[in-house]
Amino acid sequence: MTSTEKQDAQHGQFRQYLPDLNTPRFQAIAQNDAYGHAKELLEHHRPPWLYGLYVHWRELFEEPFKGVTNDGTVRPNLFKPRDEGVPIDAIVAAANAITSQLSPDQARRTLLHIDSPEWRSWSNPEFLVSDKGIRLDEITPELRDSVLALLKATLSPEGYAKAIAAMRINHFLGELVRAPRVMNEHSYNFVLFGAASAVQPWGFSFYGHHLCLSVFLCRTQIVVSPWFTGAEPNFIDAGPWRGTRILHEEERLGLQLMQSLSEGERSRARVYDKMVDERMPKGRWNHDDQRHLCGAYRDNRVVPYEGVVVGSLSPAQQDLVRGILLQYLIYLPEKSRDLKLRDCADWFAETYFSWIGGCGDDDPFYYRIQSPVVLVEFDHHSGVFLANKEPAKFHIHTLLRTPNAGDYGFALRGQIEGAVPQEYVWEG
């Protein structure tokens, strides 16, 4: 197993791959703000591979929501309303502090219906292709602080710290490539779905480059799914936030688990030997998601089970799986996180761990843990802004989905009783 010192050195290697900022691509992004940069994609179709993916995303968006499944069939009755101890009154107060500051135009763009399809229009690239809500780098400091206060009230302390770290790393990347108006610590959009309430369902979306959170709330229950968190690089080595790092624990624990497997188990877990493997079918790799299967707009993807069954592993190995899942559930408040982790463990007999790539200390890799109630992915990426052509340890993408209609709280919505009486008689 790689040492902490070696892992630190691998994450610090990004300085070897700083791009040539004199190329047309980087000169253009340096001159643009978020809207001009988006125009490059949406009107000029640059880069063409990402524009092609965007067109595909919009086709996927037209499909009604079903949910990620392993075989195309949504399994019912996996998720039930329950008390998860969420401090809903404090969260509602934080949300109301935001709405009280919105101008009429901001409110029109930001306050959407609880069943709006725009829940699903988040995306990870720095291109602002879904321009809705308020953008943190364009609003007053007071309103921006209120949005961050809502995040802080909703997420666990560890989850909030991780989100802030991801935003700061995005700012650091913007400085590295001289694109601060496109990528900075506040280049994120916020949208609220439904009216903040202690008794009725509502939620919000917070999204931008390398951080996308979908949060559904009902009474004292919370769903943070889907979410995406990435970093390029995943380590800040200079400036006021020097030492900030994310996604290293997910990397370390995943590699530790793979290296702990027997030769036979490892063979079953490894789906492909190479990160870009000639045996991969069309669509198993693409420029943006690379090996990820369940990124933006992939709300209905069928992802067959692959790999080794977690329930067949030793108790120590199953504890490593719990440790990995704990990292992926870190955005949830403590009680909710503990309940969700218990849900995941209850399904270890139908939980699969799969792997792509090598498993030496220096090898980049992909892994997935998948069951009826959770799907998480980890992937080392090649460079998007940095110049590494091959996947590297310092560019990481992670995500979580809740299969079988669990994303966006959909599986819970039909089980929630309405608070508005259906009986009505005009008494004028």
Side-chain angles (χ1 to χ4, degrees):
M1 174 60 199
T2 186
S3 66
T4 300
E5 292 75 16
K6 189 170 186 178
Q7 191 182 34
D8 291 349
Q10 290 167 341
H11 295 161
Q13 289 173 355
F14 73 89
R15 288 276 176 188
Q16 302 173 30
Y17 298 96
L18 296 179
D20 179 0
L21 300 182
N22 293 316
T23 60
R25 175 197 176 193
F26 285 102
Q27 289 179 336
I29 194 174
Q31 295 169 4
N32 272 323
D33 60 11
Y35 302 97
H37 188 56
K39 189 175 181 179
E40 285 288 308
L41 179 73
L42 300 178
E43 296 186 16
H44 302 300
H45 304 174
R46 294 190 291 257
W49 61 265
L50 187 55
Y51 180 75
L53 181 63
Y54 167 73
V55 171
H56 180 59
W57 280 349
R58 298 310 297 182
E59 292 171 350
L60 294 172
F61 185 67
E62 293 302 315
E63 296 182 343
F65 177 83
K66 180 177 181 180
V68 172
T69 63
N70 69 289
D71 61 4
T73 301
V74 174
R75 294 167 68 164
N77 305 317
L78 294 176
F79 310 101
K80 298 292 183 183
R82 64 186 178 188
D83 178 12
E84 295 182 350
V86 170
I88 191 63
D89 290 333
I91 296 171
V92 169
N96 287 338
I98 296 170
T99 58
S100 67
Q101 298 176 64
L102 298 177
S103 70
D105 183 61
Q106 288 174 327
R108 178 186 58 80
R109 292 172 45 85
T110 305
L111 307 181
L112 305 184
H113 192 280
I114 181 64
D115 287 330
S116 169
E118 297 301 330
W119 273 102
R120 300 169 53 201
S121 63
W122 59 273
S123 62
N124 160 64
E126 83 287 352
F127 289 95
L128 183 57
V129 296
S130 179
D131 180 19
K132 58 185 183 290
I134 49 176
R135 188 170 171 88
L136 267 63
D137 60 4
E138 298 178 339
I139 57 180
T140 65
E142 294 77 15
L143 181 53
R144 181 166 59 241
D145 288 346
S146 294
V147 174
L148 295 176
L150 174 60
L151 280 183
K152 189 172 186 178
T154 304
L155 306 178
S156 70
E158 306 91 334
Y160 179 71
K162 181 178 181 178
I164 294 297
M167 296 161 67
R168 289 174 174 174
I169 290 174
N170 185 55
H171 184 103
F172 180 62
L173 175 61
E175 291 181 333
L176 285 176
V177 301
R178 299 179 190 168
R181 293 195 295 164
V182 175
M183 294 182 291
N184 60 71
E185 65 171 317
H186 296 137
S187 54
Y188 296 87
N189 285 46
F190 171 82
V191 186
L192 193 144
F193 299 98
S197 168
V199 296
Q200 286 296 292
W202 63 286
F204 60 88
S205 177
F206 184 91
Y207 66 97
H209 187 226
H210 278 161
L211 181 66
C212 307
L213 303 172
S214 303
V215 180
F216 173 85
L217 294 145
C218 187
R219 302 185 178 95
T220 58
Q221 188 169 10
I222 185 172
V223 175
V224 182
S225 178
W227 63 250
F228 178 101
T229 307
E232 182 190 19
N234 72 315
F235 173 62
I236 297 178
D237 66 353
W241 301 316
R242 181 178 180 176
T244 299
R245 184 197 311 270
I246 60 173
L247 309 177
H248 52 292
E249 282 299 301
E250 295 90 329
E251 178 187 72
R252 181 183 65 82
L253 291 169
L255 182 58
Q256 186 178 349
L257 175 60
M258 184 62 173
Q259 291 181 340
S260 77
L261 300 182
S262 69
E263 185 175 343
E265 291 167 337
R266 202 176 294 174
S267 178
R268 292 196 299 275
R270 185 182 281 116
V271 183
Y272 298 104
D273 295 332
K274 303 174 186 176
M275 294 291 271
V276 181
D277 199 293
E278 57 272 10
R279 296 186 298 114
M280 289 177 172
K282 181 180 178 181
R284 186 60 190 84
W285 179 94
N286 69 59
H287 281 84
D288 184 63
D289 291 316
Q290 300 203 8
R291 282 145 297 275
H292 270 177
L293 294 171
C294 294
Y297 294 88
R298 310 289 183 168
D299 297 304
N300 298 332
R301 190 150 196 174
V302 177
V303 183
Y305 288 144
E306 299 175 304
V308 63
V309 177
V310 170
S312 70
L313 303 180
S314 71
Q317 291 166 329
Q318 291 184 27
D319 283 344
L320 283 173
V321 174
R322 288 186 181 88
I324 294 169
L325 291 173
L326 187 63
Q327 293 299 316
Y328 279 83
L329 299 172
I330 202 168
Y331 289 122
L332 294 170
E334 184 176 8
K335 182 178 178 181
S336 178
R337 183 170 66 228
D338 290 345
L339 289 169
K340 182 67 173 180
L341 189 60
R342 190 183 309 164
D343 295 340
C344 294
D346 287 345
W347 285 97
F348 274 2
E350 196 182 331
T351 300
Y352 289 77
F353 172 70
S354 59
W355 189 272
I356 296 175
C359 58
D361 288 355
D362 296 321
D363 293 326
F365 54 81
Y366 161 96
Y367 70 77
R368 181 171 79 251
I369 296 173
Q370 180 181 358
S371 80
V373 296
V374 72
L375 187 156
V376 304
E377 294 186 279
F378 177 101
D379 195 30
H380 287 124
H381 266 38
S382 55
V384 173
F385 288 95
L386 299 177
N388 54 299
K389 294 182 179 180
E390 300 298 327
K393 294 291 187 80
F394 50 75
H395 186 184
I396 301 172
H397 284 192
T398 64
L399 62 82
L400 176 143
R401 288 279 188 172
T402 306
N404 294 298
D407 281 340
Y408 314 106
F410 265 92
L412 295 173
R413 297 186 192 199
Q415 304 177 62
I416 298 168
E417 294 183 3
V420 180
Q422 295 290 330
E423 300 77 13
Y424 170 78
V425 176
W426 182 65
E427 299 176 350

